[in-house]
Amino acid sequence: MTFDQTVGLWCVAVPIAVMLIGTLIGRLITRRLPAKVGQAVLGVSWFAAIAIPLFGRQGFEWWPEDAWRQTVWLVLAWALILPATAMQRATKPDQPLGELPKFGERPASAPWRWVVAGTLSCLTGMLVMPSGDAWNDTLPLHRCWMLSVTLSCLWNSYAIDAMSRRNAARWCLLTALAGLAVPFALAAATYGSLAEWTLSMLVATFVAVIAGSTRWLPAAWVTAFPIIAGGSIITASARFYSYQDQPLWVYGVALFTPSILATIDCSIASRSTKLRIVVSAIAATTMIGACIWKVLLDDPF
């Protein structure tokens, strides 16, 4: 991917502007509308921050030929439904958006949301598979990759949701951001247009991380759901658009980084927040560094 002024405008400036506007709107409606409305606004804002650069660079089509571009509409579903139904406790009319329940107090959430998450995961795994005569030689890969993408979306979504319930709502979005690092490396080594789209995801997520890690907008963590779907889409697309096959462990890290980090965090959930963040950062840096070294520097090990 060649970084120039056009890429900087569409893939950096536009996502930043859209996310800033979205977080501002989310904060303004906090005391006027139910929490689920504000959370849906945040999710859709992240979608807009990555869809506008895609349409701006690739042109708008309702149903483009490339499978990875078709998945943008599934990302919209991820961005609208799951954030709106994430961990809610509508017990106080003036409760700030994203306020978490006290330790040991179980929040209310829609019981059908994981059925929806499973359905969206299956649809993502199916739709991201390229089809047509030109892709007949890749058909043997479809079965395993459909399963991998489906499990990646579902397990990572549950992992982030579980982290948010372990008093990590303000920083668990960092886990989703880490989950985009290896997909970006794979895309950068494969296909420029795919790498540009991933860059817009990284930038939009970084803004959400800043908003969520402060008291400005703690509910920003709900954008993790479309972020996770986006990471799985990029990883699968990078595999099918490349003639160079990476080791299985690279794809495993690319697909399941949030789940791995959440599992590590679960083992030390009773420890201090600072320790949990440091351990997660070390684990993420180690995994991501090894993958980037292998993908971009082609170190044989």
Side-chain angles (χ1 to χ4, degrees):
M1 181 184 73
T2 303
F3 192 89
D4 55 24
Q5 291 182 347
T6 304
V7 174
L9 173 63
W10 284 107
C11 301
V12 178
V14 169
I16 290 175
V18 173
M19 281 304 297
L20 288 176
I21 294 172
T23 54
L24 178 60
I25 293 174
R27 184 174 175 84
L28 290 176
I29 66 175
T30 296
R31 300 184 181 280
R32 293 181 174 85
L33 296 173
K36 62 182 180 181
V37 177
Q39 293 175 181
V41 167
L42 292 173
V44 173
S45 297
W46 188 89
F47 167 77
I50 63 110
I52 294 174
L54 177 65
F55 297 147
R57 293 290 288 167
Q58 302 295 320
F60 178 80
E61 296 180 65
W62 282 109
W63 200 251
E65 182 179 354
D66 294 326
W68 66 273
R69 292 172 59 195
Q70 295 171 4
T71 58
V72 68
W73 304 118
L74 268 179
V75 176
L76 175 59
W78 279 99
L80 182 62
I81 301 174
L82 290 182
T85 57
M87 196 166 60
Q88 298 172 30
R89 188 184 59 160
T91 57
K92 300 177 182 178
D94 59 344
Q95 182 180 6
L97 177 64
E99 181 179 319
L100 300 177
K102 297 179 180 179
F103 183 76
E105 184 178 17
R106 185 162 181 83
S109 61
W112 45 263
R113 62 193 303 265
W114 291 113
V115 176
V116 174
T119 303
L120 290 176
S121 298
C122 293
L123 290 174
T124 304
M126 179 185 70
L127 193 58
V128 77
M129 297 296 105
S131 59
D133 295 338
W135 297 96
N136 286 341
D137 61 324
T138 66
L139 290 180
L141 298 173
H142 283 205
R143 181 168 60 180
C144 290
W145 272 96
M146 286 177 67
L147 176 62
S148 299
V149 171
T150 299
L151 293 180
S152 171
C153 291
L154 186 57
W155 289 3
N156 290 340
S157 296
Y158 182 82
I160 294 292
D161 188 84
M163 284 188 70
S164 72
R165 296 170 186 263
R166 295 196 299 264
N167 297 328
R170 289 190 177 176
W171 61 271
C172 67
L173 196 55
L174 284 168
T175 302
L177 178 63
L180 288 175
V182 180
F184 179 63
L186 291 170
T190 303
Y191 188 30
S193 298
L194 194 64
E196 290 179 8
W197 197 32
T198 316
L199 176 61
S200 66
M201 292 183 185
L202 282 167
V203 173
T205 303
F206 185 74
V207 176
V209 166
I210 294 175
S213 61
T214 64
R215 293 187 178 275
W216 170 258
L217 204 57
W221 76 270
V222 298
T223 58
F225 298 108
I227 293 168
I228 284 167
S232 297
I233 289 168
I234 297 300
T235 301
S237 300
R239 170 62 188 91
F240 283 97
Y241 278 85
S242 174
Y243 292 104
Q244 181 180 4
D245 192 13
Q246 300 293 338
L248 291 179
W249 63 268
V250 172
Y251 293 124
V253 172
L255 289 170
F256 295 102
T257 290
S259 293
I260 296 171
L261 295 179
T263 301
I264 294 173
D265 177 74
C266 182
S267 66
I268 56 173
S270 60
R271 307 300 291 272
S272 67
T273 298
K274 290 183 179 179
L275 177 63
R276 292 168 65 185
I277 294 175
V278 169
V279 171
S280 296
I282 293 174
T285 302
T286 302
M287 292 189 299
I288 293 169
C291 290
I292 291 178
W293 185 268
K294 179 67 183 79
V295 172
L296 298 181
L297 300 181
D298 197 25
D299 181 60
F301 61 84

